[in-house]
Amino acid sequence: MAARNTARKRAFQILFEGDQRGVDVLTVLADWIRHSRTDTRQPPVSEYTMQLVEGYAKKVNRIDELISQYAVGWTLDRMPVVDRNILRLGTYELIWVDETPDAVVLDEAVQLAKEFSTDDSPAFVNGLLGRLKELKPSLRREEA
């Protein structure tokens, strides 16, 4: 499971970099893959990291809609960039990656918030993803 944890962390870093640079995440992903192939100091980009980033890229508009709709008191552009991208990754994995248990998605997102964001962020991330977890069956029906 440590490999999945690392893959999630790298996917978050790619989403964060794309957001900060104003560049499409697939471009950032391609850069990371190219660097890992040409620089032995760079770790390889795992299949799961690629799956998360590519999946997110396909659903980006819907993911941002969901976060905007359920983030009480926060607009997407006012959210700390770290939290916004943890939520984006967590929302994608929670709603569209069936092989990952919901509890794991929430726990991993909270851990990323603890590691990379503010003291208030883990509770915020947990609360919003918890709400989406409750709504997951109806959200999935909407997608069908």
Side-chain angles (χ1 to χ4, degrees):
M1 219 26 115
R4 287 257 170 138
N5 179 285
T6 300
R8 270 184 207 92
K9 187 180 290 187
R10 289 197 179 119
F12 156 70
Q13 291 168 325
I14 290 168
L15 268 60
F16 178 85
E17 182 178 333
D19 196 358
Q20 283 292 95
R21 290 177 45 204
V23 175
D24 179 69
V25 295
L26 296 177
T27 300
V28 178
L29 176 62
D31 290 345
W32 278 51
I33 292 169
R34 188 178 64 257
H35 288 125
S36 72
R37 290 181 180 155
T38 59
D39 185 345
T40 57
R41 296 170 296 175
Q42 298 297 319
V45 177
S46 75
E47 286 293 322
Y48 196 61
T49 297
M50 288 187 270
Q51 178 186 339
L52 290 172
V53 173
E54 291 167 353
Y56 162 78
K58 290 177 187 169
K59 300 287 187 182
V60 63
N61 292 331
R62 181 66 176 138
I63 289 167
D64 282 355
E65 284 174 15
L66 290 171
I67 294 169
S68 295
Q69 183 175 353
Y70 294 103
V72 178
W74 286 94
T75 59
L76 202 59
D77 61 331
R78 278 194 53 239
M79 266 179 218
V81 68
V82 170
D83 296 0
R84 180 170 57 234
N85 287 288
I86 291 170
L87 287 167
R88 285 172 166 165
L89 180 63
T91 299
Y92 170 71
E93 195 171 17
L94 180 68
I95 305 298
W96 290 282
V97 181
D98 292 330
E99 62 268 14
T100 306
D102 294 348
V104 171
V105 174
L106 269 68
D107 184 58
E108 292 283 330
V110 168
Q111 291 306 314
L112 285 170
K114 285 179 181 177
E115 184 173 348
F116 292 103
S117 199
T118 68
D119 290 342
D120 295 331
S121 294
F124 174 65
V125 166
N126 189 58
L128 182 50
L129 290 178
R131 179 71 176 128
L132 293 176
K133 177 182 173 249
E134 291 171 5
L135 297 168
K136 181 178 177 176
S138 63
L139 296 174
R140 293 286 298 260
R141 279 194 301 275
E142 290 172 13
E143 293 293 316

